[in-house]
Amino acid sequence: MKKIILFFSLGLMLFGCKKDEGYTSPFEGTEDQQIDAYVASKNLTVTFKTVSGLRYILTKPNPSGTLATSGKKITVNYVGKLLNDSIFDQGNFDFTLGVGSVIRGFDVGVAMMKVGEKATLVFPSTLGYGSAGSGSKIPGNVPLIFEIEVVAIN
């Protein structure tokens, strides 16, 4: 009985939320091409690109800061946006790095950061919410942008 209720609840969460059908990417092509066009349109310099497609753009370095490592509690300030610059979330929160408590792109990007650093992460939906999207603000198959500041590592 518990499995049926859990399955039903999960189904409501996944299918009961209307996706933002009005979102249209301002860029043409595949997600990878859209990300490259976004980066170019903002005159950003990619510091590092992962094999999985994450673009890491260091905007405020802190060479003497402590590096974020797996298993550590990380405190961040962040702004989450779509490629049309609409903000879908912002704030601050704590999470444990590398245990899957956040979307993969967030985990991978923050693992490259040190305390006091700021970076912009731009990544494909495969590192975000995939084809399902998330709620009404993040459609499926949409690249995400996160502007992140690592405030503390414990």
Side-chain angles (χ1 to χ4, degrees), residues 85-139:
D85 285 327
S86 62
I87 295 172
F88 59 80
D89 196 15
Q90 62 185 336
N92 56 40
F93 75 102
D94 301 329
F95 70 101
T96 302
L97 186 65
V99 298
S101 61
V102 294
I103 55 175
R104 184 80 181 124
F106 206 93
D107 242 355
V108 169
V110 172
M112 296 183 217
M113 298 180 71
K114 297 176 181 177
V115 170
E117 289 189 334
K118 292 183 181 180
T120 299
L121 311 177
V122 187
F123 52 86
S125 63
T126 54
L127 296 176
Y129 296 101
S131 61
S134 179
S136 63
K137 294 183 180 181
I138 305 172

Side-chain angles (χ1 to χ4, degrees), residues 10-30:
L10 183 59
L12 283 176
M13 288 183 347
L14 290 175
F15 300 110
C17 297
K18 185 176 186 248
K19 301 290 180 244
D20 182 0
E21 295 168 358
Y23 173 81
T24 304
S25 174
F27 306 103
E28 298 289 325
T30 65

Side-chain angles (χ1 to χ4, degrees), residues 52-68:
S52 58
L54 180 140
R55 276 64 161 195
Y56 175 83
I57 302 150
L58 183 61
T59 57
K60 179 187 169 199
N62 183 13
S64 62
T66 302
L67 182 64

Side-chain angles (χ1 to χ4, degrees), residues 66 68 73-76 94-95 114-116 149-154:
T66 302
K73 180 180 164 189
I74 312 295
T75 303
V76 297
D94 301 329
F95 70 101
K114 297 176 181 177
V115 170
E149 175 184 18
V150 175
V151 177
I153 300 174
N154 297 306

